[in-house]
Amino acid sequence: MTTMATTPEKSTPRVDRSKWVRFALLVMAGGTIYKLANLKDAFYVPMQEAMSLSHTEIGTLLSVNSMVATALFIVGGYLADRFSTRILIPLGLVGTGTLGLFLSTFPGFGTLLLLFALLAVCSDCLVWPALLKSIRQLGGPKEQGRLFGLLEGGRGVVDTAVAFSALGIFVLLGSGTGGFRAAIAFYAIINIAVGVLLFLLLRNQTSEQTSQHPAPKKQKAGLGEIWRAAKLPQLWWVSFTVFMVYVVYCGLTYFIPYRTYVYGLPVALVGAYGIINQYGLKILGGPIGGVLADKVFKGASRYIRLAFLCLIPVVVVLLLLPADPSSQIPAMIVTLLFSLIVF
């Protein structure tokens, strides 16, 4: 007598739609929150002209924004551990949009300093730490590179679409003061709209990410925990690495005035170049880098070392190029390659 052995049917893995809905909403937040603080990415020259700012004054605004952001990052991490991301992220986005509407009135330099400081509070204290925590909780340890790579790629899509829309408004209205004012207002309204959308749509998503990857036990993030973390040597090495990445990343912005004053690119073309350079290359670089870090190099540190080494010959070529309009195309290729490696 023979018996028939039955094998269980193979079930296809079910796509966790709630996870990816939440991810898409967080990408929208990440792709819009820094638009106003980084107006110079696509509108460096119009910012100078419409607001009557010198290079030094623009640098001072960015420095104030960065110093406030740096001082409040620890506070932001503390808030992200204590309060719901559904509250923190929309609050930061709506706050940023409100500040942007005021920024579109072109206030004086003293008021601009205050506005850029408050933009850092909204973005780097309220939104960014909470957003990173949310992304990290969406996947297990083997998915972190891909999730953060997709975050950068998705931000690149949102960044590019929003920035080109603002540039289109600027050009449509004559590429002057009125167009620049409308572009700022557009950024502000987008931030407010995304903030409201997140507040409404994240209502039933706030705890779903823990169902797939539950935490063992929630601990309060007090000063003692922060002090214990600060004594870890690994933390300082990672912090130093991130610091150097940001040093390189900050250089991307200054390719824009560099292309204008050294190679003679017109304002509208430089704006389009700046959007591709700052945002468009995230679409390629982020996901590719995430997959390489996870699958090929089996770790972020080895991948970052290789990326830094690849930047060296690119910088050498850029320094050797003649500083005149005849080198426009080679300079564009080299600077875009530099940005692609960074992303």
Side-chain angles (χ1 to χ4, degrees), residues 17 80 96 137 146 228 255 278 295 300:
R17 291 184 180 179
T96 297
Q137 290 178 335
R146 276 165 287 176
R228 278 191 287 274
F255 284 153
Q278 289 289 110
K295 297 290 188 181

Side-chain angles (χ1 to χ4, degrees), residues 24 26 36 46 51 108 115 143 162 165 178 209 218 340:
L26 293 170
L36 289 162
M51 296 181 175
L115 287 177
E143 295 180 278
V162 172
S165 298
Q209 75 274 18
K218 188 173 181 180
L340 180 62

Side-chain angles (χ1 to χ4, degrees), residues 36 51 95-108 110-112 114-116 118-119 181 184-185 188 192:
L36 289 162
M51 296 181 175
T96 297
T98 304
L99 292 170
L101 292 176
F102 188 30
L103 184 64
S104 68
T105 65
F106 300 157
T111 305
L112 285 174
L114 177 60
L115 287 177
F116 272 75
L118 292 175
L119 285 172
R181 191 190 309 274
I184 296 175
I192 294 172

Side-chain angles (χ1 to χ4, degrees), residues 163-341:
F164 266 119
S165 298
L167 183 63
I169 292 171
F170 172 71
V171 173
L172 185 65
L173 295 181
S175 301
T177 301
F180 183 51
R181 191 190 309 274
I184 296 175
F186 173 75
Y187 280 157
I189 293 168
I190 287 291
N191 272 278
I192 294 172
V194 172
V196 172
L197 186 65
L198 280 163
F199 181 75
L200 295 175
L201 297 184
L202 287 182
R203 178 170 301 176
N204 297 321
Q205 305 279 343
T206 52
S207 61
E208 289 182 5
Q209 75 274 18
T210 59
S211 61
Q212 296 293 327
H213 309 282
K217 186 179 179 182
K218 188 173 181 180
Q219 296 179 345
K220 291 184 177 180
L223 293 178
E225 285 73 19
I226 293 174
W227 176 246
R228 278 191 287 274
K231 291 191 291 185
L232 293 173
Q234 300 96 321
L235 177 66
W236 289 98
W237 280 113
V238 171
S239 300
F240 178 73
T241 302
V242 173
F243 172 77
M244 295 308 300
V245 170
Y246 269 97
V247 168
V248 176
Y249 178 77
C250 288
L252 303 187
T253 295
Y254 295 98
F255 284 153
I256 299 167
Y258 182 72
R259 300 302 310 282
T260 303
Y261 296 109
V262 175
Y263 295 102
L265 262 67
V267 174
L269 182 57
V270 169
Y273 163 83
I275 292 170
I276 296 170
N277 181 63
Q278 289 289 110
Y279 308 137
L281 292 178
K282 289 181 184 178
I283 301 171
L284 289 176
I288 292 173
V291 171
L292 288 174
D294 278 347
K295 297 290 188 181
V296 179
F297 293 90
K298 307 296 182 182
S301 58
R302 280 178 287 182
Y303 184 61
I304 290 174
R305 282 199 296 270
L306 176 64
F308 272 124
L309 289 173
C310 289
L311 287 175
I312 295 173
V314 177
V315 173
V316 171
V317 172
L318 182 62
L319 291 174
L320 293 177
L321 282 175
D324 58 62
S326 64
S327 300
Q328 281 186 4
I329 301 301
M332 184 177 294
I333 293 171
V334 171
T335 53
L336 290 178
L337 178 59
F338 185 97
S339 302
L340 180 62
I341 294 171

Side-chain angles (χ1 to χ4, degrees), residues 25-219:
L25 293 172
L26 293 170
V27 166
M28 290 173 62
T32 55
I33 187 61
Y34 287 110
K35 281 288 173 289
L36 289 162
N38 293 321
L39 276 174
K40 39 76 177 162
D41 287 351
F43 298 105
Y44 190 99
V45 176
M47 187 177 177
Q48 272 191 301
E49 296 174 350
M51 296 181 175
S52 302
L53 297 173
S54 65
H55 293 298
T56 302
E57 286 173 329
I58 291 179
T60 302
L61 292 176
L62 300 179
S63 297
V64 167
N65 181 270
S66 299
M67 286 188 289
V68 173
T70 302
L72 292 180
F73 266 132
I74 294 178
V75 178
Y78 180 81
L79 293 176
D81 284 337
R82 288 296 183 98
F83 297 98
S84 169
T85 56
R86 179 188 170 234
I87 300 298
L88 291 175
I89 297 176
L91 179 63
L93 285 162
V94 173
T96 297
T98 304
L99 292 170
L101 292 176
F102 188 30
L103 184 64
S104 68
T105 65
F106 300 157
F109 182 68
T111 305
L112 285 174
L113 287 173
L114 177 60
L115 287 177
F116 272 75
L118 292 175
L119 285 172
V121 174
C122 291
S123 58
D124 294 296
C125 182
L126 295 179
V127 173
W128 194 245
L131 187 145
L132 292 183
K133 178 183 177 182
S134 297
I135 293 293
R136 178 174 53 81
Q137 290 178 335
L138 284 176
K142 294 183 179 180
E143 295 180 278
Q144 297 299 303
R146 276 165 287 176
L147 282 174
F148 281 99
L150 288 171
L151 170 65
E152 283 301 296
R155 285 180 66 208
V157 173
V158 175
D159 280 334
T160 305
V162 172
F164 266 119
S165 298
L167 183 63
I169 292 171
F170 172 71
V171 173
L172 185 65
L173 295 181
S175 301
T177 301
F180 183 51
R181 191 190 309 274
I184 296 175
F186 173 75
Y187 280 157
I189 293 168
I190 287 291
N191 272 278
I192 294 172
V194 172
V196 172
L197 186 65
L198 280 163
F199 181 75
L200 295 175
L201 297 184
L202 287 182
R203 178 170 301 176
N204 297 321
Q205 305 279 343
T206 52
S207 61
E208 289 182 5
Q209 75 274 18
T210 59
S211 61
Q212 296 293 327
H213 309 282
K217 186 179 179 182
K218 188 173 181 180
Q219 296 179 345

